[in-house]
Amino acid sequence: MENLERILTEHPFLKGLDKKHIELIVGCASNVIFKAGDFIFREGESADSFYFIRHGRVLIETYVPQKGPIMIRSREEGEILGWSWLVPPYRWHFDARAVELTRAIALDGKCLREKCREDHDLGYEIMKRFAKIIAERLEATRLQLMDIYGNGTHK
Amino acid sequence: MAHTNNIAERIIESNPMIVQQFRISRKIKETHDTFSIELELPDSMDGFSFNPGQFNMLYVYGVGEVPISISGNPSKNKILTHTIRVVGTVTKAINNLKVGDYLGVRGPYGAGWPVKQAIGKDVVVVTGGIGLAPLRPVISYLLTNREKYGKVALLYGARTPEDILYIKSLEKWRGRFDIETLVTVDRAVGDWRGNVGVVTTLIGKSTFDPLHCIAMVCGPEIMMRFTIMEFIKKEIEEKNIYVSMERNMKCGVGLCGHCQIGSTFVCKDGPVYCFEDIKDLFQRREM
Ligand SMILES: Cc1cc2nc3c(=O)[nH]c(=O)nc-3n(C[C@H](O)[C@H](O)[C@H](O)COP(=O)(O)OP(=O)(O)OC[C@H]3O[C@@H](n4cnc5c(N)ncnc54)[C@H](O)[C@@H]3O)c2cc1C
Ligand code: FES
């Protein structure tokens, strides 16, 4: 637990958070490990956690009939994986597969949602941080959708 | 013979519009739509010197002429290398040429990347698609003069793994401890295990010092705009960001006005600009 608390306190995502809020978060945290090829979650399943990736790489994929899985993002050391735990109906929209041995801290979404409901200051801090992540991901997705290296541009 | 060569050199120096014929000595297929060509210098030349970022006008007899950046190593001036993506008439015609055929070349033209101004600082190179071609000479230059620079980071984005240029060079660079090479693709299928996501997502993963770096960016304009937004979030000063602008060209030497945007001629004053100097022109559509 002490180890988890130290790692979470030092993580840039939680930077600036009060000790008491970190302690609440640690109460919902656990260490997890995935082997290369393991699915961390699959599209449609209930999204009941998110992850601080400590080591390794995870590919986010979607399955396209006749084409198979298409990789659309990767997440690595230092990054947060998953935000569907925050938004009803709490279901994953994509698959996430570890492509190498991946260690992470899993945060139980149900547990954290409950704590955010009880302590709105914590809820605000978590929402603020996820809003930033979601905005960054939206921006990157827009750029990706433009298919900037495709036909029509010479570069 | 030496006497004739000197006269030829003097004529060429005094008339930058003269096209010289270079023999194609090697052709390399880089990806499904992109190839590199190596050209042998004509007898009248004993070396082809250029600054990283400069370009040549390449001429196919009876078809036309296009500006193409020099993509080879500036310290190896006996071979001239270009990397070309086939998009239309002239690039297709160049692709149809074979080893042993001749290609018209005039140049080098334009202002290159600020490799001298970057001495003593970290250098971060962000590039997408064929934009790696004009920046490969920068990487070669930095690695040849490695002790003069701080951290060197190359962040490269391609559409898919099949579109990645210079795979062998990238592998070599990734194996070195003195350059941080991060590659990403916009999307992938199959057994790709690397980064997936647009090139701007690599900026946060790189370890360069934003307060003491020179940033060089080359790629589609939209990619450069998003990259600059990320740089500004990281507090890199505009005066330390350099971009490559591209406009259609004809003369390549500041005479015809074809490439003019505002008061600048991209062929002569660019294609590489300090972002601070051109930020107002940067998003202006081609005129
Ligand atoms: C300074 C400079 C350096 C360049 N360096 C390289 C390089 O290293 N490698 C490389 O492959 N290309 C480079 N280019 C781009 C290259 O010059 C063009 O792709 C080429 O002129 C296209 O000629 P084309 O006759 O084959 O195509 P065209 O028949 O003229 O055009 C075919 C299609 O490509 C589009 N297109 C053509 N030129 C441009 C352009 N400049 N900007 C946007 N769209 C264009 C047209 O709109 C059209 O859709 C550079 C351009 C400049 C200005
Ligand atoms: S191409 Fe003629 S002025 Fe630039």
Side-chain angles (χ1 to χ4, degrees), chain B residues 57 248-260 265-268:
Chain B
M57 296 298 291
N248 285 338
M249 290 183 184
K250 272 236 154 74
C251 71
V253 291
L255 295 175
C256 71
H258 220 77
C259 66
Q260 189 174 2
F265 293 90
V266 177
C267 65
K268 190 163 66 71

